[in-house]
């Protein structure tokens, strides 16, 4: 390559296409994610709101919680209701996930424990089930199983129900110490998890 | 008395040979590619893109490999076979001035590694999340993919063709070159994305039936994958060459931009089918079929449009061989024609054995064309050997 065509030792004619592609990397990899991180969700739960997860399961978030993902009952998207929903409340993330599962709540909790233990999350930021399961009961009188969940920077609980062939995983994750009133509200949300009336679960 | 000088006799250049040399020069056929170009900025961006994509891909696989290795293995094996079929098909349609293998591999690797994992994954995730925050989850589910994937996936794949045009300007010269390289970038993207879909499905049903959920996803991707990335990227690849212009392709910025936009539109509509159908399952199937047919019609139309100069170049390269009787006129037509001409040539055989000989002669004639292009029209041992092969097949 002739010397008069070089800039910093590189062929001038290749700089523009290289810069365009580098810019695409920057937009996709850093600029848009940074904008996304700066944006917050502001979708407060009002009295009477019910969140539905998949076709079969619902729960009642505490008034004042923020719906981060998921849809209110009566407002499905084109595919119905997503299989996961999450609300935040006083620093606690309450997340409900449903999917097909054939087994008992204790077996589902064991499956969740195996998954959590098998994942390699960067910075050891994952959670691990750290206690034996205990039986819990929701507001409809259905039994599930729950256990402590520990992570590097947060703690919480994981609970499992199985309604028919629909498994439900509930995670409530928050700071090491949460006020008693908050814990009570989280417990109320946990108890509100139940099958949708008429869903057959 | 002064002597009258006589004109020195000069051999008139054979017009066929001149046309051959011009065709070889124009198309860059037979030129070699050296990817190691430290003075080329595109080389460093290519290396960075692939390295970054590999790093992201490693992180994705490493996170759950202890749990879902069986699902990953099954998906990888199935899509490797699937990928080989498409690789074979794409090589078959690149019969006129074949892309060098290392360029094709570079295109495949960019699509499967840099475009998919270095660009599309993070860009798509961030933009989908932004749509959800701005317009709500229902909007994002209905339209998010259709308004995201065409941007980062088509631009990410097109970026690979753009880099290769500047890494191999002596080879990537025609819109058809861009079409073929785009198809290989799309193939790489498609295969790696499909494997990842299979792998990611393993955690459905809480990971309790990883092979069942993965194979279900794999089946769906096998049915629909053929009409997506390979096809869109072929349009984008040709569009980039038109947009840039080369020594062999006059710059047609409007047409090139239109091809890129059409690819994005086809991709966007395909990914927004949930929104377009409004969740109506009965409407979804006709929509999918209609979009596949339209996409195939567009790409086949562009193939026929861009391949014409390649066929003309093949005719120019091999016409002197026909004049010398190395190949017949009929073979020249078949060589520089489409599948109809090749089939007609084979069908004209009187027996199965002759049909086989005709097929071999066509293949050998392609080899001769490759060798003539590689030697820039000079008589080399390889050219002589390839020509001798044709003679051997004639007497076989």
């Amino acid at each position: 390559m002739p010397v008069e065509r070089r800039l910093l030792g590189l062929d001038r004619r290749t700089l523009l296409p290289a810069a365009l592609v580098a810019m695409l990397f920057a937009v996709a990899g850093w600029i848009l994610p940074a904008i996304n991180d700066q944006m917050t969700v502001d979708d407060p739960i009002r009295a009477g709101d019910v969140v539905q997860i998949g076709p079969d399961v619902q729960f009642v978030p505490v008034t004042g919680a923020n719906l981060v993902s998921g849809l209110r009952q009566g407002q499905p998207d084109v595919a119905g209701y997503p299989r996961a929903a999450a609300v935040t409340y006083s620093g606690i993330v309450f997340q409900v996930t449903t999917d097909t599962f054939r087994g008992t709540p204790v077996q589902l909790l064991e499956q969740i424990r195996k998954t959590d233990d098998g994942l390699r999350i960067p910075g050891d930021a994952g959670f691990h089930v750290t206690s034996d399961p205990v039986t819990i009961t929701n507001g409809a009188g259905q039994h599930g199983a729950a256990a402590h969940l520990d992570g590097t920077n947060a703690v919480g609980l994981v609970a499992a129900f199985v309604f028919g062939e629909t498994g439900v995983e509930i995670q409530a994750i928050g700071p090491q110490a949460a006020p008693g009133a908050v814990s009570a509200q989280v417990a109320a949300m946990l108890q509100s998890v139940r099958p949708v009336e008429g869903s057959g679960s | 008395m002064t002597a009258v000088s006589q004109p020195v006799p000069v051999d008139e250049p054979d017009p066929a040979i001149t046309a051959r040399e011009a065709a070889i020069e124009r198309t860059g056929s037979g030129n070699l590619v050296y990817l190691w170009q430290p003075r080329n900025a595109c080389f460093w961006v290519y290396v960075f893109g692939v390295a970054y994509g590999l790093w992201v891909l490693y992180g994705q696989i490493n996170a759950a490999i202890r749990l879902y290795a069986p699902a990953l293995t099954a998906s990888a094996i199935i899509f490797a076979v699937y990928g080989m079929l498409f690789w074979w098909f794409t090589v078959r349609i690149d019969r006129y001035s074949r892309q060098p293998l290392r360029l094709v591999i570079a295109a495949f690797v960019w699509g499967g590694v840099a475009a998919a994992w270095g660009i599309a994954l993070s860009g798509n995730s961030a933009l989908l999340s932004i749509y959800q925050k701005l317009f709500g989850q229902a909007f994002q589910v209905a339209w998010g993919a259709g308004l995201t994937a065409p941007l980062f996936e088509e631009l990410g794949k097109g970026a690979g063709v753009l880099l290769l045009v500047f890494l191999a300007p002596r080879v990537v010269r025609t819109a058809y070159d861009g079409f073929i390289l785009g198809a290989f970038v799309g193939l790489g993207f498609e295969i790696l994305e499909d494997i990842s879909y299979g792998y990611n499905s393993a955690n459905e049903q809480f990971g309790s039936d990883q092979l069942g959920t993965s194979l279900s996803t794999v089946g769906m991707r096998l049915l629909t994958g053929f009409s997506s990335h390979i096809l869109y990227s072929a349009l984008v690849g040709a569009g980039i060459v038109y947009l840039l212009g080369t020594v062999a392709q006059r710059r047609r910025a409007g047409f090139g931009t239109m091809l890129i936009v059409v690819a994005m539109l086809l991709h966007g509509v395909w990914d927004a089918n949930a929104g377009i159908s409004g969740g109506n399952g009965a409407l979804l199937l006709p929509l999918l079929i209609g979009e596949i047919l339209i996409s195939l019609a567009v790409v086949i139309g562009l193939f026929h449009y861009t391949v014409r100069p390649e066929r003309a170049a093949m005719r120019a390269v091999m016409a002197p061989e026909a004049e010398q009787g190395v190949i017949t006129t009929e073979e020249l037509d078949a060589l520089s024609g489409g599948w109809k001409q090749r089939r007609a040539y084979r069908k004209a055989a009187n027996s199965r054995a002759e049909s086989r000989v005709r097929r071999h002669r066509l293949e050998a004639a392609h080899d001769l064309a490759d060798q003539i292009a590689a030697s820039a029209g000079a008589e080399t041992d390889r050219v002589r050997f390839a020509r001798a092969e044709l003679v051997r097949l004639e007497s076989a």
Side-chain angles (χ1 to χ4, degrees):
Chain A
M1 183 189 56
V3 289
E4 65 273 20
R5 226 173 65 196
R6 293 180 202 167
L7 181 69
L8 300 173
L10 295 170
D11 184 346
R12 282 175 195 273
R13 292 185 307 184
T14 63
L15 292 177
L16 181 60
L20 286 174
V21 178
M23 197 186 305
L24 181 62
F25 271 103
V27 170
W30 295 288
I31 295 173
L32 272 183
I35 292 171
N36 180 42
D37 288 345
Q38 295 299 313
M39 295 172 70
T40 54
V41 177
D42 184 23
D43 189 3
I45 296 293
R46 295 186 172 81
D49 283 351
V50 176
V51 171
Q52 183 163 336
I53 314 102
D56 304 323
V57 179
Q58 65 177 50
F59 76 101
V60 182
V62 59
T63 302
N66 193 26
L67 183 61
V68 178
S69 68
L71 294 172
R72 288 173 179 80
Q73 204 163 57
Q75 301 170 10
D77 62 36
V78 291
Y81 293 94
R83 289 194 170 273
V87 296
T88 56
Y89 180 69
S90 295
I92 290 177
V93 179
F94 185 87
Q95 183 169 327
V96 183
T97 307
T98 76
D99 209 335
T100 303
F101 187 79
R102 295 173 189 86
T104 66
V106 172
Q107 287 170 331
L108 176 53
L109 199 61
E110 175 60 16
Q111 180 66 35
I112 293 166
R113 185 193 65 72
K114 272 170 48 184
T115 302
D116 286 347
D117 288 350
L119 289 174
R120 292 191 184 109
I121 309 292
D124 199 22
F127 290 93
H128 300 282
V129 176
T130 54
S131 72
D132 291 331
V134 295
T135 301
I136 58 169
T137 307
N138 68 3
Q142 292 155 312
H143 298 302
H148 284 293
L149 204 58
D150 280 350
T152 310
N153 302 313
V155 295
L157 70 81
V158 58
F161 287 101
V162 179
F163 305 135
E165 288 195 346
T166 301
V168 186
E169 176 187 359
I170 304 129
Q171 282 194 6
I173 308 289
Q176 297 281 348
V182 173
S183 298
Q185 299 279 26
V186 171
M189 284 198 280
L190 179 59
Q191 280 208 316
S192 74
V193 176
R194 66 180 65 189
V196 172
E197 268 185 45
S199 67
S201 294
Chain B
M1 190 175 134
T2 55
V4 178
S5 61
Q6 298 293 320
V8 177
V10 176
D11 287 341
E12 281 292 320
D14 181 343
I17 295 293
T18 307
R20 165 191 278 181
E21 288 169 355
I24 293 170
E25 170 61 25
R26 185 177 62 78
T27 59
S29 179
N31 283 343
L32 297 177
V33 174
Y34 299 96
L35 293 176
W36 173 254
Q37 297 178 41
R39 290 199 183 279
N40 188 326
C42 293
F43 167 75
W44 293 110
V45 172
Y46 181 92
V47 170
F48 163 80
V50 171
Y52 179 63
L54 275 175
W55 180 68
V56 174
L57 177 60
Y58 168 78
Q60 294 283 316
I61 292 175
N62 184 52
I65 189 68
R66 286 194 295 188
L67 294 165
Y68 305 133
L72 177 63
T73 306
S75 301
I77 290 171
I78 291 168
F79 284 115
V81 174
Y82 186 68
M84 279 191 272
L85 287 174
F86 278 98
W87 184 290
W88 171 83
F89 174 77
T90 315
V91 167
R92 289 287 294 177
I93 64 171
D94 185 23
R95 64 176 73 246
Y96 303 103
S97 61
R98 290 171 186 158
Q99 299 300 310
L101 182 62
R102 65 181 68 175
L103 203 56
V104 165
I105 291 173
F108 183 90
V109 168
W110 178 272
V113 178
W117 303 98
I119 294 172
L121 179 66
S122 54
N124 285 350
S125 304
L127 199 51
L128 282 173
S129 179
I130 289 171
Y131 286 144
Q132 182 171 337
K133 288 171 181 173
L134 287 176
F135 307 117
Q137 184 153 352
F139 175 89
Q140 186 260 308
V141 169
W143 305 104
L147 294 172
T148 303
L151 290 175
F152 289 108
E153 295 183 5
E154 293 316 320
L155 291 179
K157 290 180 291 176
V161 177
L162 179 68
L163 294 177
L164 293 177
V165 168
F166 282 88
L167 278 166
R170 284 162 44 80
V171 174
V172 187
R173 289 184 162 179
T174 65
Y176 192 71
D177 293 338
F179 182 95
I180 292 293
L181 287 178
F184 275 108
V185 172
L187 179 62
F189 194 103
E190 178 79 43
I191 296 305
L192 270 287
E193 185 187 57
D194 283 348
I195 292 171
S196 81
Y197 273 115
Y199 183 53
N200 292 338
S201 295
N203 70 1
E204 289 176 9
Q205 299 185 17
F206 303 97
S208 60
D209 180 21
Q210 60 170 293
L211 278 177
T213 54
S214 286
L215 292 178
S216 168
T217 300
V218 165
M220 186 59 70
R221 298 293 297 183
L222 287 173
L223 285 175
T224 57
F226 67 90
S227 68
S228 55
H229 286 292
I230 304 167
L231 189 155
Y232 306 140
S233 304
L235 298 181
V236 171
I240 285 173
V241 173
Y242 281 121
L243 188 58
L244 294 171
T246 67
V247 292
Q249 175 58 58
R250 179 174 60 85
R251 186 164 184 260
R252 296 173 62 189
F255 186 56
T257 306
M258 188 194 78
L259 287 176
I260 295 168
V261 170
V262 166
M264 286 178 161
L265 276 176
L266 290 172
H267 193 165
V269 169
W270 178 264
D271 280 3
N273 273 323
I276 294 169
S277 67
N280 182 343
L283 187 60
L284 196 57
L285 188 61
L287 263 178
L288 292 175
I289 292 171
E291 288 162 18
I292 288 173
L293 292 177
I294 290 170
S295 299
L296 286 174
V298 170
V299 82
I300 290 170
L302 183 66
F303 168 83
H304 285 294
Y305 184 70
T306 55
V307 82
R308 263 186 255 155
E310 304 285 325
R311 287 177 178 162
M314 171 62 88
R315 177 170 282 277
V317 169
M318 293 302 282
E321 303 301 319
E323 282 181 5
Q324 292 168 23
V326 178
I327 59 172
T328 64
T329 312
E330 191 187 10
E331 284 169 340
L332 180 62
D333 290 340
L335 265 181
S336 56
W339 64 272
K340 281 181 187 166
Q341 285 88 347
R342 284 191 299 280
R343 192 181 61 174
Y345 169 72
R346 285 196 304 271
K347 293 268 182 188
N350 292 319
S351 65
R352 185 173 285 185
E354 191 190 341
S355 175
R356 192 169 58 243
V357 169
R358 283 176 169 241
R359 201 172 64 244
H360 289 163
R361 273 186 62 83
L362 269 192
E363 196 65 30
H366 270 291
D367 290 348
L368 176 58
D370 286 345
Q371 293 304 334
I372 290 170
S375 69
E379 281 295 310
T380 62
D381 287 345
R382 284 171 180 270
V383 170
R384 278 188 283 273
F385 176 77
R387 203 175 277 132
E389 279 293 280
L390 273 162
V391 174
R392 179 180 68 80
L393 286 166
E394 191 175 30
S395 57

